[in-house]
């Protein structure tokens, strides 16, 4: 693999811990940190009386691949971007604003230091592009492994109260912000035999959605202010995550297929090319990191949200998720440990 | 390996994400958490206006081994213990109290779920035994990998101000709390050809120090109250960490060899057995997670600290670390990426 064992660019084991840090730190935005890296722990100012915290790990060959069946090479930049994106999304889903992060890297000794620098650049770019301007990377850990593993922990604050997934009420409208199915379609393209050189612009945009997801960061706090009763991010697919929210809130969810079909348009080119049903991506595709929220009938829903259904009273002891009144199987979606 | 591919105990991929969580969560103390697991982010009450945060990853075959040359089998319980211990140590080293944690696990699909339960039990046991009674595990992440990887992020608060590693002043006394060299000696035993069945009690105690380290959790805040000018935990060996502190504080450190020799006593049995110099473990052994702190001459040092030297003015542009006035090489100790 070209990223390893090159002769000219030093490897991480040649540089050592301090050398790796020296290469990475200038690329990481630390402008808001009230402590430089170097002490045992990072420190973070807190305005309220509570912090929210989320952690996620990206592992080589599980969450990303150095090279895909399509021949596309996964950039370290994109791994860094996604590691930030998926964690700030969790804070967003609570109605919060991300304020700080720590990063733990486990790296093979023969990895090129260019890979690590590109990772750091992707993290900084995501912080900037997603509008997480209050987020400072305040600390981290470096260690050795045989496969690349990137764990990011993000802290945040909810200035308008936390929005949980347990608060959906019968009569509420169900709404989503952000993309549905784009990252899933992008994954299908990456996994396909269609070589990357042949991708057109609309197909490439779907791959970008998979590699550099864009959680709608302002929409979480805005939904909290508007009066959302429940909220979560859609990381494992709309159906799977909706079933979780419906169960947690002890209600039924009923989706409107017409509203869901509006998300098909940008998936059509890939759908035709790969001969796959775009609705499967809309319903089951994960990693767009959009928001799923419920709002009482009385409140004004922020304009970037699309209403896709209604919360209903749970009839029996089991919570049901339906499309146009018909019960759907909620296990359609992503489970890290399913075979 | 017996922990994998057994027929009777389910593997993590057989159980799936929810099944793993259902097996682990009853074993994790969540009594102080103000949110149950299940939402996108965990939440933590904050009393002051700042949190400190630290992250560390333990990777199979790097930071622990399923089986050592000595035939000793590493318990998941001990991996869980150490993952908590090394992170609360970082908070302790700032003069703080650990208040919350999130845990990210990357696990091979064929790992026995018993391993995961034992890991959770070890985490809870460490929280209890180390006296981290305010620490709640408020969230986490589960994913797949080929090697086991455990990342713990711990949050804390410093009610008496943060003690950094930059504040040591000429004239200060240098002192340590906790063990020096025990975990290093334990590592040498584990790595030796001396089969574990032949270990006597004092040797086994050193192995315990390596597998279940005991950072002196009350000593960090106590040092802060007493007026420590600088503090850090000793994770990579006394010399290596002292050099870092001396550099960060722009001073020289001068150790007193007689004071350091007092730490040799409990290492003697292993030293005689393995024919290794115990002073090497005292000076270079990592992972005891004791505290290295400096105190002005005027203050009363908490009694559990042993004075081992004095801070001196830096003569030239380089910071020096000495023993009895003779300069020592500060690279003696542990670097994750050195070959």
């Amino acid at each position: 693999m070209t990223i390893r064992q090159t002769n000219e660019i030093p490897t991480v084991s040649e540089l050592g811990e301090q050398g790796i840090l020296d290469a990475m730190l200038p690329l990481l935005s630390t402008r808001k940190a009230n402590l430089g890296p170097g002490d045992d722990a990072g420190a973070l100012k807190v305005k309220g009386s509570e912090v929210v915290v989320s952690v996620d790990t990206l592992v080589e060959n599980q969450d990303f691949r150095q090279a895909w069946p399509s021949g596309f090479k996964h950039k370290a930049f994109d791994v860094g971007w996604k590691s930030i994106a998926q964690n700030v999304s969790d804070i967003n889903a609570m109605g919060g604003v991300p304020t700080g992060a720590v990063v733990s890297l486990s790296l093979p000794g023969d990895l090129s230091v260019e890979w690590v620098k590109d990772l750091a650049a992707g993290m900084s770019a995501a912080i900037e592009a997603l509008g997480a301007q209050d987020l400072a990377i305040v600390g981290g850990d470096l260690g050795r492994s045989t496969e690349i593993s990137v764990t990011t922990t993000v802290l945040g604050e909810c200035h308008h109260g936390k929005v949980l997934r347990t608060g959906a009420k019968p009569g509420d409208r169900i709404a989503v912000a952000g993309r549905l199915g784009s990252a899933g379609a992008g994954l299908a393209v990456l996994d396909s035999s269609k070589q990357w050189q042949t991708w057109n612009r609309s197909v490439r945009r779907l791959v970008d959605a998979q590699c550099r997801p864009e959680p709608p960061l302002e929409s979480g706090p805005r939904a909290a202010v508007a009066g959302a009763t429940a909220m979560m991010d859609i990381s494992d697919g709309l159906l799977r995550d909706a079933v979780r929210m419906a169960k947690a809130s002890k209600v039924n969810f009923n989706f409107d297929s017409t509203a869901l079909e509006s998300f098909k348009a940008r998936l059509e080119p890939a759908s035709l090319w790969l001969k796959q049903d775009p609705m499967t991506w809309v319903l089951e595709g994960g990693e767009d990191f959009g928001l799923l929220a419920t709002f009482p009938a009385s409140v004004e829903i922020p304009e970037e949200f699309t209403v896709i259904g209604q919360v209903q009273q749970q009839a029996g002891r089991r919570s049901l998720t339906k499309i146009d009144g018909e019960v759907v199987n909620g296990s359609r979606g992503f489970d890290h440990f399913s075979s």
Side-chain angles (χ1 to χ4, degrees), chain A residues 193-253:
Chain A
S193 56
K194 308 277 188 193
Q195 293 303 293
W196 68 274
Q197 297 90 339
T198 66
W199 298 346
N200 67 21
R201 189 193 284 189
S202 59
V203 164
R204 178 168 273 282
R205 209 178 287 143
L206 297 171
V207 170
D208 285 348
Q210 166 65 31
C211 293
R212 294 192 294 278
E214 298 183 4
L217 270 210
E218 286 175 6
S219 299
R222 208 178 284 148
V225 170
T229 49
M231 186 154 61
M232 65 189 290
D233 71 342
I234 306 169
S235 50
D236 295 338
L238 175 64
L239 278 190
R240 184 176 279 260
D241 286 326
V243 164
R244 288 174 178 153
M245 181 185 275
K247 271 189 187 167
S249 293
K250 298 192 175 68
V251 292
N252 288 352
F253 269 20

Side-chain angles (χ1 to χ4, degrees), chain A residues 3 58 63-68 71-80 82 115 118 190 207 210-212:
Chain A
I3 61 153
L58 293 174
D63 303 289
F64 65 94
R65 300 187 199 174
Q66 300 283 6
W68 293 84
F72 183 80
K73 297 230 184 301
H74 210 119
K75 292 179 194 68
F77 185 95
D78 293 350
V79 176
K82 194 162 183 173
W115 197 94
D118 201 28
L190 284 165
V207 170
Q210 166 65 31
C211 293
R212 294 192 294 278

Side-chain angles (χ1 to χ4, degrees), chain A residues 26-39:
Chain A
L27 299 168
L28 289 172
S29 136
T30 54
R31 62 194 178 285
K32 298 277 171 109
N34 50 345
L35 255 195
D39 268 282

Side-chain angles (χ1 to χ4, degrees), chain A residues 168-191:
Chain A
K169 296 274 178 297
D172 285 356
R173 289 160 295 170
I174 307 167
V176 292
R179 297 169 184 150
L180 273 187
S182 291
L187 183 62
V189 173
L190 284 165
D191 253 342

